[in-house]
Amino acid sequence: MLIFRTATNRTTLANAVRSGRLVRLDEGIYSTDTQTDPIVQIQQNVPRVLAYLRPGCVISHHSAILEDFGAADGLVIVSDPAVAQSYLHHLPGLKVLAVKGPGPVVGDSELTAGGVYAASVWRAALENLEPRRRLRALGRSIVAPPPEIEAFLARRMTTSVEAEGFLQGVNLVMRESGQWSAECARVSTLVQSRLRQMAALAPGMSPWVDHQRVRLFEDLANQLLRGQFGNEAFWGGRLLDFPSRPVPGDRRFLNLAFYESYFSNYIEGTEFAPEDARVIALEERQDKAQSKEGHDIRSLYRLYADPESFLREDHSPDEFIANLKFWHARFGEHIDKEAIHPGRFKDKANRAGGTWFADPAQVEGTLRVAWEIGQHLSEPFDRAVFRAVSTVSIHPFLDGNGRITRLAAANVLGRAGKMRLMIPTVFREDYILALRAFSNGNPVPVIRMFQQAARITTSVPFDRSFPELTQWLRERNAFLPPEEAKWRPAPEESDLRPTKKPKPSCFSGPGTYD
């Protein structure tokens, strides 16, 4: 955990360094982790470091379109209205370039409370279309190279809905900030060109399928088949067997069902202590003020804990789609969920930040193509990863998409009699960043993220009593937010390694879908 120097703790920090309880990473930056390389610690805590160095700044320009903000490349660019001229901070393994620019504007997202913001995709597009300025201190421009900008914009305009929504977003940023009028005009030209291209869609390309997403799904399937990113460790029976139904005298099934549903709800903001959530899920007691959240906890747990609901088969795209609608209807069957249209696909476009998901008219067709692509995967772990990522990328419902798609992935493993994939709160940021990377065209982080989730879940002693199991998870930091802690491996956790040579890629796509 990082600790930053203030006017009142200088002496305390110095004493802690002398006694070996802290290590000094850089001027004013200390850590309780005395073993991990300072470079790694700095790169893993970029938002908190920036909040110390440049409170109120916005991660901007080229850094704003990179999945890790440029930490892996050793450079993060921020806009800061407080600087008179560009300033370069040198840290272990990282440079932070502060350029004069506006603070947070409409759409920018806050990464740390009262500290650092990330530019919205709309602002990022406008900033990266600014005239290229080569800075002598860097030997490069602060804006992305033209091919990267083109790819970034293309990913946000895969349908007419996305293209028009993106144009609305950049216009809003321009109006609210009073800046980037010339850049906004360029975006408008690009959007109009994109709309003309989509109007002249090539013959054989169905308008009812999101072909941009299909290409992402094909790439993910190919990478899973190659088995080079950790998933090969779970081939050939290496993923542990696990009860797919409750067994008398065996706590494992219901303990996992509870914690799968608990952490899945927590990812989406339903934040209860595990003991309180268990009372709501099992004993149907809750405060009236917690009605909606209490229903979410109870309905999702009941889906995981009921084999007849949880283990539904899908031998065709029709059955798969029917299962998604069934689970969504069961999840949203209480009165507080009427607005999300339980059991029905969305009737309007939805997005997370600046990322638009599949057009409503393309949801069912794209789900069918995803099901067909998934049939090329033979290993239960690979099929579950593909099911989770492809379905959530489509976002077929108005709400509840994350919870239902994680349930769909668990269904794949449950039907195979294998250990499912639990994502503790401490691992939430890795999960979200990996999905964001996939949306940006990189499937590798989601494969690595899910194999880490499998390692974690495999290590959990689900055969213990609920209080013992909960205490074990607390000792591993499972319930802490990722900015406060990391997962603490148990002494008995094993290092799962591949037992096979990687398979060559053999998936060339499903052909044309009308």
Side-chain angles (χ1 to χ4, degrees), residues 296-312:
D296 289 351
I297 288 171
R298 185 179 304 115
S299 58
L300 192 59
Y301 169 72
R302 286 178 173 176
L303 281 171
Y304 277 101
D306 175 17
E308 300 310 313
S309 299
F310 174 55
L311 297 176
R312 291 167 65 96

Side-chain angles (χ1 to χ4, degrees), residues 358-429:
D359 189 286
Q362 297 175 326
V363 165
E364 189 162 329
T366 310
L367 284 170
R368 290 178 181 278
V369 177
W371 187 90
E372 296 285 356
I373 295 173
Q375 294 304 103
H376 292 263
L377 301 168
S378 59
E379 297 290 339
F381 177 83
D382 294 353
R383 291 170 69 91
V385 171
F386 183 86
R387 176 66 56 85
V389 176
S390 60
T391 311
V392 81
S393 175
I394 295 167
H395 247 56
F397 303 105
L398 287 177
D399 190 27
N401 290 284
R403 281 170 277 213
I404 298 304
T405 54
R406 288 187 288 274
L407 177 70
N411 162 270
V412 172
L413 295 170
R415 286 190 284 121
K418 294 296 183 181
M419 174 68 79
R420 281 112 61 188
L421 307 177
M422 184 179 72
I423 302 175
T425 302
V426 74
F427 199 41
R428 178 180 183 271
E429 186 174 3

Side-chain angles (χ1 to χ4, degrees), residues 200-494:
L201 195 64
M205 298 278 283
S206 169
W208 310 117
V209 172
D210 187 334
H211 295 277
Q212 179 72 19
R213 278 189 171 77
V214 168
R215 286 191 286 273
L216 291 176
F217 300 163
E218 291 173 352
D219 192 15
L220 174 60
N222 268 326
Q223 300 304 335
L224 287 165
L225 284 168
R226 289 190 178 102
Q228 297 174 338
F229 303 105
N231 59 308
E232 72 277 11
F234 302 102
W235 288 351
R238 288 295 304 277
L239 188 62
L240 293 186
D241 293 338
F242 196 83
S244 57
R245 295 176 179 273
V247 178
D250 188 342
R251 304 183 180 104
R252 290 180 296 166
F253 177 85
L254 291 178
N255 272 340
L256 176 56
F258 172 77
Y259 270 115
E260 279 178 299
S261 60
Y262 172 80
F263 286 123
S264 189
N265 269 313
Y266 210 102
I267 287 174
E268 307 301 333
T270 305
E271 301 179 2
F272 286 80
E275 294 84 356
D276 295 336
R278 188 169 186 266
V279 170
I280 294 171
L282 275 66
E283 302 179 25
E284 301 193 10
R285 289 192 284 124
Q286 64 184 77
D287 296 335
K288 290 183 179 179
Q290 300 168 345
S291 176
K292 175 181 177 296
E293 291 77 9
H295 280 303
D296 289 351
I297 288 171
R298 185 179 304 115
S299 58
L300 192 59
Y301 169 72
R302 286 178 173 176
L303 281 171
Y304 277 101
D306 175 17
E308 300 310 313
S309 299
F310 174 55
L311 297 176
R312 291 167 65 96
E313 299 280 344
D314 63 80
H315 300 292
S316 68
D318 287 336
E319 290 184 351
F320 168 51
I321 288 171
N323 288 349
L324 290 178
K325 291 182 175 180
F326 171 83
W327 291 324
H328 192 258
R330 289 286 301 274
F331 172 67
E333 62 188 356
H334 55 86
I335 191 169
D336 294 309
K337 286 290 185 182
E338 288 181 355
I340 73 169
H341 301 169
R344 288 182 284 162
F345 289 149
K346 62 190 177 185
D347 56 2
K348 59 183 178 181
N350 50 6
R351 62 182 173 88
T355 300
W356 289 84
F357 299 108
D359 189 286
Q362 297 175 326
V363 165
E364 189 162 329
T366 310
L367 284 170
R368 290 178 181 278
V369 177
W371 187 90
E372 296 285 356
I373 295 173
Q375 294 304 103
H376 292 263
L377 301 168
S378 59
E379 297 290 339
F381 177 83
D382 294 353
R383 291 170 69 91
V385 171
F386 183 86
R387 176 66 56 85
V389 176
S390 60
T391 311
V392 81
S393 175
I394 295 167
H395 247 56
F397 303 105
L398 287 177
D399 190 27
N401 290 284
R403 281 170 277 213
I404 298 304
T405 54
R406 288 187 288 274
L407 177 70
N411 162 270
V412 172
L413 295 170
R415 286 190 284 121
K418 294 296 183 181
M419 174 68 79
R420 281 112 61 188
L421 307 177
M422 184 179 72
I423 302 175
T425 302
V426 74
F427 199 41
R428 178 180 183 271
E429 186 174 3
D430 300 73
Y431 172 77
I432 292 173
L433 290 176
L435 291 178
R436 182 186 300 169
F438 177 78
S439 296
N440 288 333
N442 183 2
V444 175
V446 291
I447 300 175
R448 295 196 185 281
M449 181 274 298
F450 275 112
Q451 61 93 3
Q452 178 64 11
R455 291 174 188 269
I456 288 174
T457 313
T458 298
S459 73
V460 179
F462 289 108
D463 57 342
R464 297 187 184 182
S465 68
F466 180 78
E468 292 174 330
L469 172 58
T470 302
Q471 180 59 30
W472 188 93
L473 289 168
R474 279 203 171 94
E475 291 171 357
R476 308 277 79 76
N477 295 332
F479 304 113
L480 293 178
E483 64 269 16
E484 293 184 12
K486 295 187 293 186
W487 174 263
R488 292 181 58 200
E492 63 271 20
E493 283 189 38
S494 60

Side-chain angles (χ1 to χ4, degrees), residues 64-213:
I65 70 172
L66 299 175
E67 61 191 60
D68 64 349
F69 305 127
D73 293 332
L75 174 66
V76 177
I77 301 165
V78 300
S79 291
D80 187 349
V83 300
Q85 58 184 10
S86 299
Y87 185 86
L88 190 62
H89 297 268
H90 292 270
L91 302 168
L94 185 70
K95 295 177 182 177
V96 176
L97 175 66
V99 298
K100 188 168 183 61
V105 299
V106 60
D108 294 345
S109 55
E110 190 174 25
L111 300 180
T112 61
V116 173
Y117 295 78
S120 68
V121 293
W122 310 311
R123 172 175 175 162
L126 295 169
E127 287 178 326
N128 281 288
L129 288 172
E130 291 175 354
R132 298 180 65 81
R133 293 180 290 160
R134 187 177 182 85
L135 297 186
R136 185 178 303 172
L138 291 181
R140 49 168 281 191
S141 175
I142 62 173
V143 302
E148 265 190 71
I149 301 171
E150 291 170 10
F152 172 77
L153 293 172
R155 288 193 295 269
R156 269 122 196 110
M157 295 188 288
T158 59
T159 69
S160 59
V161 171
E162 287 182 336
E164 291 169 358
F166 193 80
L167 182 56
Q168 291 174 9
V170 295
N171 272 299
L172 178 62
V173 170
M174 186 267 292
R175 288 195 305 270
E176 295 289 331
S177 67
Q179 302 198 49
W180 299 300
S181 57
E183 289 76 16
C184 190
R186 287 186 62 189
V187 172
S188 180
T189 300
L190 292 169
V191 167
Q192 297 305 320
S193 174
R194 181 65 174 156
L195 290 173
R196 286 193 295 271
Q197 291 173 2
M198 285 186 278
L201 195 64
M205 298 278 283
S206 169
W208 310 117
V209 172
D210 187 334
H211 295 277
Q212 179 72 19
R213 278 189 171 77

